[in-house]
């Protein structure tokens, strides 16, 4: 995970976290413990790995996450693909697996918050069936998809 985070551009970090979260904060031990050891009743995370080769070890190249709401039967979807693997279908594959998982878990709805200038994530989620509208923040689009 530390290596994965060190490969990300500032732009990808901003699009995922909506802030310029510094590498040092992203790889802090307490944070990684929290995001790596998850409660499967509340969360699911999928990673895409580049397999190990003679030239080097396996590497995480993308992470997709589903986090259930504590109050409603819904979950928020997010994904982050490292820059050199973007636009190769990895994000779409991760998100479609998370949507399938949400259906299997009998969730009623999936939600996602996407920056208005992030056409890739908006398009990817629309392809899955998400519908977007502007929220209270003009820079953020709120999307939802009924699963039931
Ligand atoms: C958004 C993100 C997850 C998409 O994953 P990806 O693997 O790059 O995207 P895919 O190759 O699966 O393509 C998905 C769709 O987005 C489109 N797309 C991808 N990058 C794009 C770009 N820069 N501009 C416009 N469209 C783009 C693709 O054409 C494809 O649409 P299509 O199937 O209709 O042609 C990835 O780019 C990423 O991690 N970005 C930075 C973090 C981020 O924005 N996360 C989302 C936070 S909610």
């Amino acid at each position: 995970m530390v290596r994965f985070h060190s490969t990300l551009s500032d732009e990808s970090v901003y699009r995922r976290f909506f802030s310029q979260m510094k590498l040092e904060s992203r790889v802090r031990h307490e944070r990684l413990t929290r995001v790596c050891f998850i409660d499967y009743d509340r969360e699911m995370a999928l990673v895409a790995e580049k397999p190990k080769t003679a030239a080097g070890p396996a590497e995480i190249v993308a992470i997709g996450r589903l986090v259930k709401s504590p109050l409603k039967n819904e979950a928020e979807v997010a994904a982050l693909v490292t820059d050199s693997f973007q636009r190769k279908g990895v994000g779409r594959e991760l998100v479609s697996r998370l949507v399938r998982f949400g259906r299997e878990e009998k969730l009623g709805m999936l939600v996602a918050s996407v920056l208005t200038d992030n056409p890739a994530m908006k398009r990817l989620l629309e392809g899955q069936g998400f519908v977007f509208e502007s929220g209270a923040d003009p820079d953020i689009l709120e999307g939802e998809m009924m699963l039931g």
Side-chain angles (χ1 to χ4, degrees), residues 103-131:
R103 282 213 169 85
E104 286 163 10
E105 288 291 301
K106 308 263 185 285
L107 293 173
M109 187 157 82
L110 295 180
V111 298
S113 298
V114 175
L115 288 173
T116 42
D117 73 344
N118 191 353
M121 190 60 171
K122 179 169 181 278
R123 184 157 157 181
L124 191 165
L125 290 172
E126 282 173 342
Q128 294 293 321
F130 271 77
V131 175

Side-chain angles (χ1 to χ4, degrees), residues 12 15 79-81 86-92 113 118 120 123:
S12 288
R15 289 189 159 159
L80 179 53
V81 179
Q86 288 175 8
R87 303 206 84 156
K88 296 179 194 293
V90 178
R92 180 174 298 287
S113 298
N118 191 353
R123 184 157 157 181

Side-chain angles (χ1 to χ4, degrees), residues 21-108:
M21 198 177 173
K22 293 263 182 296
L23 176 61
E24 184 187 288
S25 316
R26 284 183 278 128
V27 302
R28 196 164 284 144
H29 184 73
E30 305 82 73
R31 176 176 183 275
L32 289 185
T33 307
R34 184 166 42 80
V35 301
C36 293
F37 298 96
I38 58 175
D39 172 359
Y40 290 108
D41 288 336
R42 284 201 54 241
E43 240 178 284
M44 178 47 76
L46 298 178
V47 300
E49 261 191 11
K50 179 176 151 225
K52 81 168 193 225
T53 61
E59 278 173 52
I60 295 176
V61 298
I63 303 176
R65 222 169 257 279
L66 208 63
V67 181
K68 273 196 206 169
S69 154
L71 302 173
K72 300 185 237 171
N73 186 31
E74 63 181 48
E76 175 156 20
V77 183
L80 179 53
V81 179
T82 193
D83 294 69
S84 58
F85 276 77
Q86 288 175 8
R87 303 206 84 156
K88 296 179 194 293
V90 178
R92 180 174 298 287
E93 182 63 30
L94 277 180
V95 170
S96 73
R97 288 186 190 215
L98 288 171
V99 169
R100 210 182 311 152
F101 177 78
R103 282 213 169 85
E104 286 163 10
E105 288 291 301
K106 308 263 185 285
L107 293 173

